[in-house]
Amino acid sequence: MKKRLVLPNDIETIPQLNEFIDLVAEEVGLDMSLTMSLNLAMEEAVVNVMDYAYPDGQKGNVGIEVTADQEWMTFVITDTGIAFDPTTKEDADTTLSAEERPIGGLGIFLVRQLMDDINYKREGNKNVLTLRKKLG
């Protein structure tokens, strides 16, 4: 199974991402709990791209490709925005209170908790973030 979605860098389009993930999860036969986890992880990753890859006012796209086999579901998120490797960010310190904790970093932390494998590479002018989830 292989599907692709391209969204503009506008968080108003996130419901389309959620519908896409739901459709893919249904096609693969995932349970509701895993589907919700995938939706949350993908929303965090894609919103980060939409918020930070392109300077304010600059139009751009976010590509989401998903493939699945019996063992893995793989999401590849691509954009042509500013180079950024989220895998180099340290985990947010969740032992601190909300007031003590610096802003940001929780989305990446959450994605790491929900997915089994995360990989980043810069290919030419593209950010390529690959998120994998082991099935079953």
Side-chain angles (χ1 to χ4, degrees):
M1 192 273 308
K2 185 176 188 174
K3 296 209 178 294
R4 183 162 171 74
L5 174 69
V6 177
L7 297 173
N9 65 322
D10 179 355
I11 59 171
E12 298 292 321
T13 62
I14 290 299
Q16 289 175 268
L17 173 66
N18 298 136
E19 288 173 23
F20 176 73
I21 303 297
D22 288 347
L23 181 76
V24 166
E26 187 176 316
E27 189 171 312
V28 175
L30 303 182
D31 64 36
M32 184 59 72
S33 176
L34 183 51
T35 301
M36 289 172 58
S37 291
L38 291 174
N39 255 316
L40 185 56
M42 288 300 295
E43 186 172 320
E44 287 294 337
V46 171
V47 166
N48 273 348
V49 171
M50 290 176 171
D51 283 346
Y52 302 113
Y54 300 100
D56 279 346
Q58 182 180 335
K59 300 272 187 223
N61 289 324
V62 182
I64 301 104
E65 183 176 283
V66 61
T67 55
D69 58 29
Q70 302 293 60
E71 200 174 350
W72 291 93
M73 183 169 278
T74 304
F75 296 91
V76 179
I77 302 167
T78 58
D79 67 83
T80 56
I82 298 164
F84 176 68
D85 182 354
T87 65
T88 62
K89 296 294 277 181
E90 285 189 32
D91 277 345
D93 186 349
T94 57
T95 63
L96 297 174
S97 70
E99 293 79 27
E100 296 174 306
R101 195 177 315 132
I103 293 173
L106 276 179
I108 293 168
F109 173 79
L110 190 61
V111 171
R112 284 184 181 135
Q113 298 303 307
L114 295 169
M115 302 304 280
D116 294 309
D117 185 51
I118 300 172
N119 183 44
Y120 170 85
K121 61 185 170 187
R122 183 80 177 174
E123 289 182 350
N125 69 338
K126 277 189 179 175
N127 292 303
V128 181
L129 181 65
T130 303
L131 308 176
R132 292 172 26 124
K133 184 68 179 175
K134 193 147 179 64
L135 301 176

